Amino acid sequence: MKLNLRSLALLLALPQLSFGQTLETFESATQTTVNERPTTFTSNGQSFTTTSDDCGTGGIFGVWIPGQQYANCNGTNSTNSTNSYYGVGTTCTGTGNCTDYSAQFIDNGLVPPAVATAGHVYGLQTTNGALFTVKSLFIYLSTDNGTNPSSAGGVTITGKLAGNTVFTYIKTTGFTTDFVNNSGFTFIDFSAGTNYTNSNIDQLLIQSPNANYVALDNFKWGVSVPLPLGLLSFDLKRNGNTVYLNWKTSSNATIVDYQIERSADGILFSRLGNRTVNDSGNYEFTDLSPLTGDNFYRLAITSKDGNVTYSEVKRSFMPTPEKANNLLYPNPTTGMLFANVPEAAVWNLQLTDISGRMVFTSKFSAQTNSLSIASLPNSIYFYRLRDTNTGAILEEGKINKL
């Protein structure tokens, strides 16, 4: 059997995290520079940094520390923050409603009278490119600059690896809208429904279509999960109306074959085909008839002793065939919209109702290429996609929200 030395070298060079899971409550984060809003923190020896797509209109996504002063995006300084406790209690696990609270958390922190606009993208990523898994977190959404919690049209949380989407988690209902429990934060468990807790990522992105204030607390993360049985990589790419899968292995000595499985919901999988072992360790498979909408793929790896292990699950979205060439898809939609945005580009989406009233506006980027309009009533809307860098109108039309 031949060893894929180049892939093995890349794997060994990739930073790895220590074993275990860590609940990060941000209580130990400190302000090291006058007026600084901390945007890096260390959790169990691993350094993370926060990210924001636009300081001027979206604020700085950083650690809120009571009693401190922060620099605003325009260079002025805020007044001292209050000493009230607004975060989720450090003992809250999400298994039930919790009335405990804490002092520190992460938010986008524009200081009144400054008010952020909605739809911005906030994130966490490791500073050294180390992979991690996300288990759960608490999130606070607000449409009035943080004064009151709100569902804000829901939230889309995207896991990325080397710039590619690993998973997209969408929540549109069940948000906390008062301060009775969890200080107004909503618990999100990534093991519920489609299980993303074993998906290796290096960046986590958060976007709500209507929230101008976003806060995060009690972030539980874990180590990267090794790929099974010598699997070095597993990737897929949509090409027109087909999906191309490829994977690489370091050794096939104990493997009988690789079964390719597909699912519409990431839970119930069916077999598409198989590949027998070869000496190169390189494998390919093309799904010539993917499902319209979500397609989840995984490998079922059978060893010579009869045991079956599974790869991580990968997702590809297939628009309706007649809309495959449109920049905005799918149409009609039940709530999610996608756009394939080139690197370094940012596209602004505007929706108006049949009376001409603006009802939704947000941004697409290469990092966040999905938006939720689940909060809008089912109707026909007129949309306009504009390149924010050039001002050019890229596409206009009607979209049907079902």
Side-chain angles (χ1 to χ4, degrees):
M1 301 292 179
K2 294 182 179 179
L3 181 67
N4 191 321
L5 295 178
R6 179 178 181 273
S7 296
L8 182 58
L10 289 173
L11 181 69
L12 294 175
L14 196 63
Q16 299 294 310
L17 302 177
S18 60
F19 293 99
Q21 294 184 17
T22 300
L23 177 63
E24 179 54 47
T25 61
F26 311 109
E27 297 305 301
S28 62
T30 58
Q31 188 181 57
T32 58
T33 304
V34 175
N35 296 336
E36 173 200 42
R37 185 175 185 82
T39 56
T40 61
F41 62 92
T42 299
S43 181
N44 194 24
Q46 174 61 47
S47 179
F48 288 83
T49 185
T50 60
T51 59
S52 312
D53 64 356
D54 190 326
C55 177
T57 59
I60 300 173
F61 199 53
V63 181
W64 189 92
I65 303 174
Q68 301 297 323
Q69 188 180 64
Y70 303 111
N72 293 322
C73 296
N74 62 7
T76 63
N77 292 330
S78 71
T79 57
N80 281 10
S81 58
T82 68
N83 287 301
S84 299
Y85 279 37
Y86 296 124
V88 179
T90 57
T91 61
C92 297
T93 63
T95 56
N97 293 323
C98 180
T99 58
D100 191 17
Y101 48 82
S102 67
Q104 298 185 188
F105 49 90
I106 290 177
D107 71 358
N108 61 323
L110 278 181
V111 180
V115 177
T117 57
H120 286 281
V121 182
Y122 306 101
L124 299 175
Q125 64 188 48
T126 54
T127 57
N128 62 346
L131 306 186
F132 65 96
T133 56
V134 58
K135 310 303 180 183
S136 64
L137 53 83
F138 282 83
I139 193 166
Y140 181 108
L141 304 177
S142 172
T143 58
D144 58 7
N145 206 37
T147 303
N148 296 287
S150 167
S151 60
V155 66
T156 298
I157 301 177
T158 306
K160 294 274 190 174
L161 178 59
N164 298 312
T165 297
V166 175
F167 67 80
T168 302
Y169 182 98
I170 302 167
K171 182 176 176 64
T172 57
T173 60
F175 284 86
T176 301
T177 55
D178 57 49
F179 294 100
V180 175
N181 299 303
N182 302 329
S183 294
F185 283 74
T186 296
F187 178 67
I188 294 181
D189 182 1
F190 289 91
S191 67
T194 300
N195 191 333
Y196 296 128
T197 58
N198 290 326
S199 297
N200 293 330
I201 60 175
D202 57 19
Q203 184 181 37
L204 189 72
L205 299 177
I206 300 169
Q207 183 180 40
S208 174
N210 300 321
N212 65 356
Y213 177 87
V214 177
L216 180 151
D217 206 354
N218 289 21
F219 168 57
K220 182 181 284 188
W221 61 276
V223 299
S224 59
V225 178
L227 293 172
L229 295 177
L231 189 63
L232 294 174
S233 65
F234 173 43
D235 300 295
L236 55 87
K237 182 178 182 181
R238 183 168 69 85
N239 183 15
N241 292 324
T242 64
V243 178
Y244 170 74
L245 295 79
N246 68 90
W247 62 99
K248 299 177 181 179
T249 65
S250 61
S251 174
N252 294 304
T254 62
I255 306 302
V256 174
D257 66 5
Y258 301 89
Q259 305 285 338
I260 300 94
E261 297 183 349
R262 185 184 68 190
S263 169
D265 58 9
I267 300 173
L268 299 176
F269 285 83
S270 59
R271 178 182 171 184
L272 280 184
N274 74 304
R275 288 291 182 265
T276 57
V277 297
N278 62 46
D279 289 338
S280 71
N282 297 315
Y283 299 87
E284 299 176 352
F285 182 88
T286 301
D287 184 2
L288 298 175
S289 302
L291 306 171
T292 298
D294 281 327
N295 290 263
F296 296 91
Y297 298 91
R298 72 181 183 187
L299 301 176
I301 306 170
T302 305
S303 61
K304 290 182 178 179
D305 58 11
N307 291 325
V308 177
T309 57
Y310 295 93
S311 70
E312 62 182 312
V313 176
K314 297 283 188 173
R315 171 187 174 273
S316 179
F317 183 87
M318 182 62 63
T320 54
E322 64 272 16
K323 298 297 181 182
N325 294 323
N326 282 13
L327 298 178
L328 185 70
Y329 60 88
N331 189 5
T333 177
T334 58
M336 287 305 299
L337 292 173
F338 297 84
N340 293 322
V341 185
E343 290 292 336
V346 177
W347 293 352
N348 183 62
L349 171 67
Q350 294 179 336
L351 297 181
T352 56
D353 61 17
I354 57 176
S355 69
R357 180 174 62 94
M358 184 80 69
V359 295
F360 181 87
T361 181
S362 192
K363 290 182 173 65
F364 288 106
S365 68
Q367 290 72 40
T368 304
N369 57 4
S370 63
L371 295 173
S372 172
I373 60 169
S375 62
L376 294 179
N378 295 342
S379 183
I380 298 291
Y381 297 94
F382 297 89
Y383 73 90
R384 173 176 290 178
L385 271 178
R386 186 188 298 272
D387 190 319
T388 59
N389 296 322
T390 65
I393 297 175
L394 303 172
E395 189 172 274
E396 295 179 303
K398 296 180 182 179
I399 193 159
N400 188 7
K401 163 69 167 43
L402 300 178

